[in-house]
Short mmCIF file of all heavy atoms in Angstrom, two decimals:
data_model
loop_
_atom_site.label_atom_id
_atom_site.label_comp_id
_atom_site.label_asym_id
_atom_site.label_seq_id
_atom_site.Cartn_x
_atom_site.Cartn_y
_atom_site.Cartn_z
N LEU A 1 -4.36 -0.42 7.36
CA LEU A 1 -3.47 0.61 6.82
C LEU A 1 -2.50 1.03 7.92
O LEU A 1 -1.29 1.13 7.69
CB LEU A 1 -4.27 1.82 6.34
CG LEU A 1 -3.40 3.00 5.89
CD1 LEU A 1 -2.73 2.70 4.55
CD2 LEU A 1 -4.22 4.28 5.80
N PHE A 2 -3.02 1.25 9.13
CA PHE A 2 -2.19 1.69 10.25
C PHE A 2 -1.23 0.60 10.71
O PHE A 2 -0.03 0.86 10.90
CB PHE A 2 -3.07 2.13 11.43
CG PHE A 2 -3.69 3.49 11.26
CD1 PHE A 2 -5.07 3.63 11.21
CD2 PHE A 2 -2.91 4.62 11.15
CE1 PHE A 2 -5.65 4.89 11.06
CE2 PHE A 2 -3.47 5.88 10.99
CZ PHE A 2 -4.85 6.01 10.95
N VAL A 3 -1.70 -0.62 10.90
CA VAL A 3 -0.86 -1.63 11.56
C VAL A 3 -0.06 -2.49 10.59
O VAL A 3 0.95 -3.08 10.99
CB VAL A 3 -1.72 -2.55 12.46
CG1 VAL A 3 -2.48 -1.74 13.49
CG2 VAL A 3 -2.67 -3.42 11.66
N ALA A 4 -0.48 -2.58 9.31
CA ALA A 4 0.23 -3.44 8.37
C ALA A 4 1.03 -2.68 7.33
O ALA A 4 2.12 -3.09 6.95
CB ALA A 4 -0.76 -4.39 7.67
N ALA A 5 0.50 -1.55 6.83
CA ALA A 5 1.18 -0.82 5.76
C ALA A 5 2.14 0.24 6.29
O ALA A 5 3.28 0.34 5.83
CB ALA A 5 0.14 -0.18 4.83
N LEU A 6 1.72 1.05 7.25
CA LEU A 6 2.54 2.17 7.69
C LEU A 6 3.86 1.76 8.35
O LEU A 6 4.89 2.40 8.10
CB LEU A 6 1.74 3.09 8.61
CG LEU A 6 0.57 3.84 7.97
CD1 LEU A 6 0.01 4.89 8.93
CD2 LEU A 6 0.98 4.52 6.66
N PRO A 7 3.91 0.73 9.22
CA PRO A 7 5.20 0.39 9.84
C PRO A 7 6.31 0.07 8.84
O PRO A 7 7.40 0.66 8.94
CB PRO A 7 4.85 -0.81 10.74
CG PRO A 7 3.43 -0.59 11.10
CD PRO A 7 2.80 -0.04 9.85
N PRO A 8 6.13 -0.82 7.84
CA PRO A 8 7.22 -1.03 6.89
C PRO A 8 7.51 0.19 6.01
O PRO A 8 8.66 0.42 5.63
CB PRO A 8 6.75 -2.22 6.05
CG PRO A 8 5.29 -2.32 6.26
CD PRO A 8 5.04 -1.78 7.63
N ILE A 9 6.49 0.98 5.69
CA ILE A 9 6.72 2.21 4.93
C ILE A 9 7.61 3.15 5.73
O ILE A 9 8.58 3.74 5.20
CB ILE A 9 5.37 2.89 4.59
CG1 ILE A 9 4.62 2.10 3.51
CG2 ILE A 9 5.59 4.33 4.12
CD1 ILE A 9 3.21 2.60 3.25
N MET A 10 7.32 3.30 7.01
CA MET A 10 8.11 4.19 7.85
C MET A 10 9.52 3.64 8.07
O MET A 10 10.49 4.40 8.14
CB MET A 10 7.38 4.41 9.18
CG MET A 10 6.05 5.13 9.03
SD MET A 10 5.05 5.16 10.54
CE MET A 10 6.00 6.29 11.54
N ARG A 11 9.64 2.32 8.19
CA ARG A 11 10.96 1.71 8.36
C ARG A 11 11.83 1.97 7.13
O ARG A 11 13.01 2.32 7.26
CB ARG A 11 10.82 0.20 8.59
CG ARG A 11 12.14 -0.54 8.77
CD ARG A 11 12.92 -0.03 9.96
NE ARG A 11 14.14 -0.79 10.18
CZ ARG A 11 15.14 -0.41 10.95
NH1 ARG A 11 15.07 0.76 11.58
NH2 ARG A 11 16.22 -1.15 11.09
N GLU A 12 11.26 1.83 5.94
CA GLU A 12 12.01 2.08 4.72
C GLU A 12 12.41 3.56 4.63
O GLU A 12 13.46 3.90 4.05
CB GLU A 12 11.19 1.70 3.49
CG GLU A 12 11.98 1.79 2.19
CD GLU A 12 11.13 1.51 0.97
OE1 GLU A 12 10.17 2.27 0.73
OE2 GLU A 12 11.43 0.55 0.26
N ALA A 13 11.58 4.44 5.19
CA ALA A 13 11.88 5.87 5.16
C ALA A 13 12.91 6.28 6.21
O ALA A 13 13.27 7.46 6.28
CB ALA A 13 10.59 6.67 5.36
N GLY A 14 13.37 5.32 7.03
CA GLY A 14 14.44 5.61 7.98
C GLY A 14 14.02 5.72 9.42
O GLY A 14 14.85 6.03 10.29
N VAL A 15 12.77 5.45 9.75
CA VAL A 15 12.31 5.50 11.13
C VAL A 15 12.89 4.32 11.89
O VAL A 15 12.96 3.20 11.38
CB VAL A 15 10.76 5.47 11.19
CG1 VAL A 15 10.28 5.46 12.64
CG2 VAL A 15 10.19 6.67 10.45
N THR A 16 13.35 4.55 13.15
CA THR A 16 13.99 3.49 13.92
C THR A 16 12.99 2.45 14.40
O THR A 16 11.78 2.71 14.47
CB THR A 16 14.71 4.07 15.15
OG1 THR A 16 13.73 4.58 16.07
CG2 THR A 16 15.67 5.17 14.75
N ARG A 17 13.51 1.27 14.76
CA ARG A 17 12.65 0.20 15.25
C ARG A 17 11.97 0.59 16.56
O ARG A 17 10.81 0.23 16.81
CB ARG A 17 13.45 -1.09 15.41
CG ARG A 17 13.87 -1.71 14.10
CD ARG A 17 14.70 -2.96 14.28
NE ARG A 17 15.96 -2.69 14.97
CZ ARG A 17 16.93 -3.60 15.13
NH1 ARG A 17 16.76 -4.83 14.68
NH2 ARG A 17 18.05 -3.29 15.77
N SER A 18 12.68 1.30 17.43
CA SER A 18 12.08 1.73 18.70
C SER A 18 10.90 2.66 18.45
O SER A 18 9.85 2.56 19.10
CB SER A 18 13.12 2.42 19.57
OG SER A 18 14.12 1.51 19.98
N GLU A 19 11.05 3.60 17.51
CA GLU A 19 9.95 4.51 17.18
C GLU A 19 8.78 3.75 16.56
O GLU A 19 7.62 4.06 16.85
CB GLU A 19 10.44 5.59 16.22
CG GLU A 19 11.35 6.62 16.87
CD GLU A 19 11.89 7.63 15.87
OE1 GLU A 19 12.36 7.22 14.78
OE2 GLU A 19 11.84 8.84 16.17
N ILE A 20 9.08 2.75 15.73
CA ILE A 20 8.02 1.93 15.15
C ILE A 20 7.28 1.18 16.26
O ILE A 20 6.06 1.00 16.21
CB ILE A 20 8.58 0.97 14.10
CG1 ILE A 20 9.02 1.77 12.86
CG2 ILE A 20 7.55 -0.10 13.71
CD1 ILE A 20 9.74 0.95 11.83
N GLY A 21 8.02 0.74 17.28
CA GLY A 21 7.37 0.08 18.42
C GLY A 21 6.38 0.98 19.11
O GLY A 21 5.35 0.52 19.60
N TYR A 22 6.65 2.31 19.12
CA TYR A 22 5.73 3.26 19.75
C TYR A 22 4.42 3.40 18.98
O TYR A 22 3.44 3.92 19.52
CB TYR A 22 6.39 4.63 19.87
CG TYR A 22 7.59 4.66 20.79
CD1 TYR A 22 8.69 5.47 20.49
CD2 TYR A 22 7.64 3.86 21.92
CE1 TYR A 22 9.80 5.49 21.32
CE2 TYR A 22 8.75 3.88 22.76
CZ TYR A 22 9.83 4.69 22.46
OH TYR A 22 10.92 4.70 23.27
N LEU A 23 4.40 2.95 17.73
CA LEU A 23 3.14 2.98 16.99
C LEU A 23 2.07 2.12 17.65
O LEU A 23 0.89 2.27 17.37
CB LEU A 23 3.36 2.50 15.55
CG LEU A 23 4.30 3.33 14.67
CD1 LEU A 23 4.40 2.72 13.28
CD2 LEU A 23 3.84 4.77 14.58
N SER A 24 2.49 1.22 18.53
CA SER A 24 1.53 0.40 19.26
C SER A 24 0.63 1.24 20.16
O SER A 24 -0.37 0.72 20.68
CB SER A 24 2.26 -0.66 20.09
OG SER A 24 2.98 -1.53 19.25
N LEU A 25 0.97 2.52 20.37
CA LEU A 25 0.06 3.41 21.09
C LEU A 25 -1.29 3.50 20.41
O LEU A 25 -2.29 3.86 21.03
CB LEU A 25 0.68 4.81 21.21
CG LEU A 25 1.84 4.96 22.20
CD1 LEU A 25 2.52 6.30 22.01
CD2 LEU A 25 1.34 4.81 23.63
N TRP A 26 -1.33 3.16 19.11
CA TRP A 26 -2.61 3.13 18.40
C TRP A 26 -3.60 2.20 19.08
O TRP A 26 -4.82 2.37 18.95
CB TRP A 26 -2.40 2.66 16.96
CG TRP A 26 -1.69 3.64 16.09
CD1 TRP A 26 -1.62 4.99 16.24
CD2 TRP A 26 -0.94 3.34 14.91
NE1 TRP A 26 -0.88 5.54 15.23
CE2 TRP A 26 -0.45 4.56 14.40
CE3 TRP A 26 -0.64 2.16 14.23
CZ2 TRP A 26 0.34 4.62 13.24
CZ3 TRP A 26 0.14 2.23 13.08
CH2 TRP A 26 0.62 3.46 12.59
N PHE A 27 -3.10 1.19 19.78
CA PHE A 27 -3.98 0.22 20.41
C PHE A 27 -4.61 0.75 21.70
O PHE A 27 -5.51 0.11 22.25
CB PHE A 27 -3.21 -1.07 20.74
CG PHE A 27 -2.82 -1.88 19.55
CD1 PHE A 27 -1.51 -1.92 19.12
CD2 PHE A 27 -3.77 -2.60 18.84
CE1 PHE A 27 -1.14 -2.67 18.01
CE2 PHE A 27 -3.42 -3.34 17.74
CZ PHE A 27 -2.10 -3.38 17.31
N LEU A 28 -4.14 1.90 22.19
CA LEU A 28 -4.62 2.40 23.48
C LEU A 28 -6.13 2.53 23.55
O LEU A 28 -6.76 2.07 24.52
CB LEU A 28 -3.92 3.72 23.81
CG LEU A 28 -4.02 4.21 25.24
CD1 LEU A 28 -3.48 3.17 26.21
CD2 LEU A 28 -3.28 5.53 25.41
N PRO A 29 -6.81 3.20 22.57
CA PRO A 29 -8.27 3.25 22.65
C PRO A 29 -8.93 1.88 22.62
O PRO A 29 -9.98 1.68 23.26
CB PRO A 29 -8.66 4.07 21.40
CG PRO A 29 -7.45 4.89 21.10
CD PRO A 29 -6.29 4.00 21.43
N LEU A 30 -8.33 0.93 21.90
CA LEU A 30 -8.90 -0.43 21.87
C LEU A 30 -8.80 -1.10 23.23
O LEU A 30 -9.63 -1.94 23.58
CB LEU A 30 -8.18 -1.27 20.82
CG LEU A 30 -8.34 -0.80 19.37
CD1 LEU A 30 -7.47 -1.64 18.44
CD2 LEU A 30 -9.79 -0.88 18.93
N LEU A 31 -7.78 -0.73 24.01
CA LEU A 31 -7.64 -1.29 25.35
C LEU A 31 -8.59 -0.66 26.35
O LEU A 31 -9.04 -1.31 27.28
CB LEU A 31 -6.20 -1.08 25.85
CG LEU A 31 -5.06 -1.70 25.04
CD1 LEU A 31 -3.73 -1.35 25.67
CD2 LEU A 31 -5.23 -3.21 24.95
N LEU A 32 -8.90 0.61 26.15
CA LEU A 32 -9.68 1.37 27.13
C LEU A 32 -11.14 1.52 26.76
O LEU A 32 -11.90 2.14 27.51
CB LEU A 32 -9.06 2.76 27.31
CG LEU A 32 -7.60 2.78 27.78
CD1 LEU A 32 -7.09 4.23 27.86
CD2 LEU A 32 -7.45 2.10 29.13
N LYS A 33 -11.56 0.97 25.64
CA LYS A 33 -12.92 1.23 25.15
C LYS A 33 -14.00 0.66 26.06
O LYS A 33 -15.16 1.07 25.96
CB LYS A 33 -13.10 0.68 23.73
CG LYS A 33 -12.95 -0.83 23.62
CD LYS A 33 -13.06 -1.27 22.16
CE LYS A 33 -12.89 -2.79 22.04
NZ LYS A 33 -13.01 -3.25 20.66
N PHE A 34 -13.63 -0.24 26.99
CA PHE A 34 -14.65 -0.76 27.91
C PHE A 34 -15.18 0.35 28.82
O PHE A 34 -16.27 0.22 29.39
CB PHE A 34 -14.10 -1.93 28.73
CG PHE A 34 -12.94 -1.59 29.63
CD1 PHE A 34 -13.16 -1.14 30.91
CD2 PHE A 34 -11.64 -1.72 29.20
CE1 PHE A 34 -12.10 -0.82 31.75
CE2 PHE A 34 -10.57 -1.42 30.01
CZ PHE A 34 -10.80 -0.96 31.29
N PHE A 35 -14.41 1.45 28.96
CA PHE A 35 -14.88 2.56 29.80
C PHE A 35 -16.12 3.22 29.20
O PHE A 35 -17.00 3.67 29.94
CB PHE A 35 -13.77 3.60 29.99
CG PHE A 35 -12.73 3.22 30.99
CD1 PHE A 35 -11.41 3.03 30.61
CD2 PHE A 35 -13.05 3.04 32.33
CE1 PHE A 35 -10.44 2.68 31.53
CE2 PHE A 35 -12.09 2.68 33.26
CZ PHE A 35 -10.78 2.50 32.85
N TRP A 36 -16.15 3.35 27.86
CA TRP A 36 -17.31 4.01 27.25
C TRP A 36 -18.25 3.03 26.53
O TRP A 36 -19.23 3.44 25.92
CB TRP A 36 -16.88 5.14 26.31
CG TRP A 36 -16.05 4.75 25.12
CD1 TRP A 36 -16.49 4.41 23.88
CD2 TRP A 36 -14.62 4.70 25.04
NE1 TRP A 36 -15.44 4.13 23.04
CE2 TRP A 36 -14.27 4.31 23.74
CE3 TRP A 36 -13.59 4.95 25.96
CZ2 TRP A 36 -12.95 4.15 23.32
CZ3 TRP A 36 -12.27 4.79 25.54
CH2 TRP A 36 -11.97 4.41 24.24
#
């Protein structure tokens, strides 16, 4: 839902491509989960 549905929905609603690129921050916990 987060990585496949929301980006095109937000793009159609007028969100810029650069802002959509920032959605990749969602991956941050997946990158750091080795800490816990």
Side-chain angles (χ1 to χ4, degrees):
L1 174 72
F2 283 118
V3 303
L6 293 189
I9 288 173
M10 296 171 71
R11 179 60 177 165
E12 187 185 62
V15 178
T16 68
R17 290 178 297 187
S18 294
E19 288 176 313
I20 289 173
Y22 296 144
L23 297 180
S24 297
L25 287 169
W26 290 335
F27 289 107
L28 194 58
L30 296 175
L31 299 179
L32 301 177
K33 63 183 179 179
F34 63 88
F35 282 117
W36 62 90

